[in-house]
Amino acid sequence: SYTAGRFSFNVPAGRCETCQGEGFVAVELLFLPGTYAPCTACHGARYNPETLEITYRGATIADVLGMTVDAAAAFLADVPAALRRL
């Protein structure tokens, strides 16, 4: 059983520890300014594999967070608390 904290990329329970929930990692380049690249562990999803196994109506938390506001509002139309926030 998971708590709501599992779905926050700000806490260790559910986030990708490689990128600390950022979705990207800093890449230091010799003789050039550093840059950022998608995390090689989560591929930008920000969550660990165990969290991404959990779906709601076929979508992971990363899928929902990647939706536009309109798409998320339609997807979460039956969740009043989420719909109010959107």
Side-chain angles (χ1 to χ4, degrees):
S1 170
Y2 295 134
T3 65
R6 179 84 187 185
F7 302 97
S8 170
F9 46 78
N10 295 316
V11 295
R15 74 178 175 205
C16 172
E17 285 302 307
T18 301
C19 65
Q20 299 292 296
E22 294 291 329
F24 55 86
V25 291
V27 177
E28 299 298 325
L29 303 171
L30 294 176
F31 309 112
L32 294 170
T35 188
Y36 294 93
C39 176
T40 56
C42 70
H43 307 286
R46 304 172 90 171
Y47 294 92
N48 63 32
E50 295 80 13
T51 302
L52 294 174
E53 287 177 2
I54 301 164
T55 61
Y56 175 73
R57 293 179 39 209
T60 67
I61 184 70
D63 295 334
V64 174
L65 291 175
M67 292 178 182
T68 65
V69 172
D70 290 337
F75 183 78
L76 298 170
D78 60 338
V79 183
L83 195 56
R84 278 193 301 276
R85 301 273 184 192
L86 293 167

